[in-house]
């Protein structure tokens, strides 16, 4: 994007002050957040500027995108961009391969180091750690999984970063909320937390009643999307996610339970549909606000 198409800081401040672009309630405990994967076709600056223009204040940057920006400018410049736009990095994405045993884990730990350093540089205190294990696991592997999370957390702790275990519906290791809670609790480390993605929760093997297992304040972060009625769940893929309110997930009921469980933080939209990822970030964020805000009030 050339300079002629970039909004300057004064224009962003004016937009931030506009009542139509304010968050629906200053006292709301859950806020709309844009995950940068939703704008995968765009660079870091373009995505962040589009989100800010739409009145978004919470973002979940892709650390790979941030690194690309930092290699051209600097990590400090990335932080200044967020600050100038009035954006807070509520989370960052991501590092796979941390909880489950496997041959690729050593590389995952090496990648985690630069990601923690970069997350710290942009003012972010957490990184998503999805479980994507495909192996055949035993009960002993789950004991090792808790150890693995502690090891990752020890790497993250000097940077003030927390590792958030994300269960995913296709994982052979951690595909449900109860299993994720078990691993996090057994890790028993201040820098290991649990998060949830509503797509993986409702399209996977978790049950609505599993939300009752959460202790007050235990959920550390939330990805917020809907599950479509079609295709059948057995063949759902990441691109099948739909905007909140367009599918069959009881999102309002889920939010009510999470509020009772004292969740306060982001409702972060993470979309993988190529058509959505190619949508202008401003338009995607406007649509996200229209979809999410009525469900989190």
């Amino acid at each position: 994007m050339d300079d002629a198409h970039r909004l300057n800081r004064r224009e962003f401040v004016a937009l931030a002050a506009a009542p139509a672009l304010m968050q629906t309630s200053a006292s709301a405990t859950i806020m709309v957040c844009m995950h940068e994967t939703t704008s995968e076709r765009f660079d870091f600056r373009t995505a962040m500027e589009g989100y800010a223009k739409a009145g978004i204040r919470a973002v979940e940057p892709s650390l790979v995108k941030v690194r690309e920006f930092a290699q051209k400018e600097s990590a400090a410049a990335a932080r200044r961009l967020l600050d100038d736009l009035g954006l807070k990095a509520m989370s960052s994405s991501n590092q796979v391969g941390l909880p489950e045993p496997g041959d690729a884990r050593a590389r995952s730990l090496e990648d985690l180091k630069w990601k923690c350093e970069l997350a710290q540089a942009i003012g972010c205190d957490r990184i998503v750690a999805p479980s994507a294990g495909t192996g055949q696991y035993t009960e002993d592997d789950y004991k090792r999984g808790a150890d693995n999370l502690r090891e990752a957390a020890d790497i993250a702790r000097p940077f003030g970063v927390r590792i958030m275990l994300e269960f995913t519906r296709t994982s052979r290791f951690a595909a449900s909320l109860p299993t994720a809670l078990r691993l996090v609790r057994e890790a028993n480390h201040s820098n290991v937390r649990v998060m949830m993605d509503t797509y993986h929760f409702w399209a996977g093997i978790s049950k609505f009643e599993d939300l009752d297992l959460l202790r007050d304040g235990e959920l550390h972060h939330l990805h917020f999307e809907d599950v479509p009625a079609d295709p059948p769940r057995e063949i759902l893929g990441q691109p099948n996610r739909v905007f909140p309110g367009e599918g069959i997930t009881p999102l309002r009921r889920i939010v009510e339970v999470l509020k009772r469980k004292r969740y306060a933080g982001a409702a972060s939209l993470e979309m993988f549909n190529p058509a959505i990822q190619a949508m202008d970030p401003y338009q995607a964020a406007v649509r996200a606000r229209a979809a999410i805000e009525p469900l989190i009030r």
Side-chain angles (χ1 to χ4, degrees), residues 157-274:
R157 180 161 46 188
F159 299 97
V161 171
R162 288 168 174 165
I163 303 299
M164 301 187 301
L165 176 60
E166 179 185 24
F167 63 92
T168 65
R169 63 183 297 270
T170 57
S171 174
R172 297 292 299 272
F173 189 72
S176 68
L177 178 58
T179 300
L181 287 172
R182 171 184 170 180
L183 285 162
V184 169
R185 291 170 182 175
E186 289 183 359
N188 193 27
H189 193 295
S190 60
N191 288 67
V192 176
R193 300 296 181 92
V194 70
M195 63 157 292
M196 186 177 85
D197 186 307
T198 54
Y199 170 80
H200 290 302
F201 177 75
W202 198 250
I205 61 174
S206 297
K207 298 177 175 61
F208 187 87
E209 291 75 17
D210 292 338
L211 295 173
D212 291 332
L213 299 173
L214 286 165
R215 298 167 183 164
D216 287 355
E218 189 171 22
L219 188 69
H220 206 53
H221 188 59
L222 180 67
H223 288 170
F224 200 69
E225 313 84 24
D226 215 334
V227 177
D230 291 305
R233 294 190 194 186
E234 288 79 0
I235 60 172
L236 280 174
Q238 295 278 46
N240 293 120
R241 297 171 181 230
V242 293
F243 278 89
E246 295 181 359
I248 60 174
T249 312
L251 291 171
R252 192 180 298 276
R253 288 176 58 211
I254 290 172
V255 168
E256 288 172 356
V257 174
L258 296 183
K259 285 183 175 180
R260 289 202 304 270
K261 295 291 184 175
R262 298 185 183 179
Y263 175 68
S268 185
L269 183 77
E270 182 187 26
M271 302 292 274
F272 291 86
N273 184 320

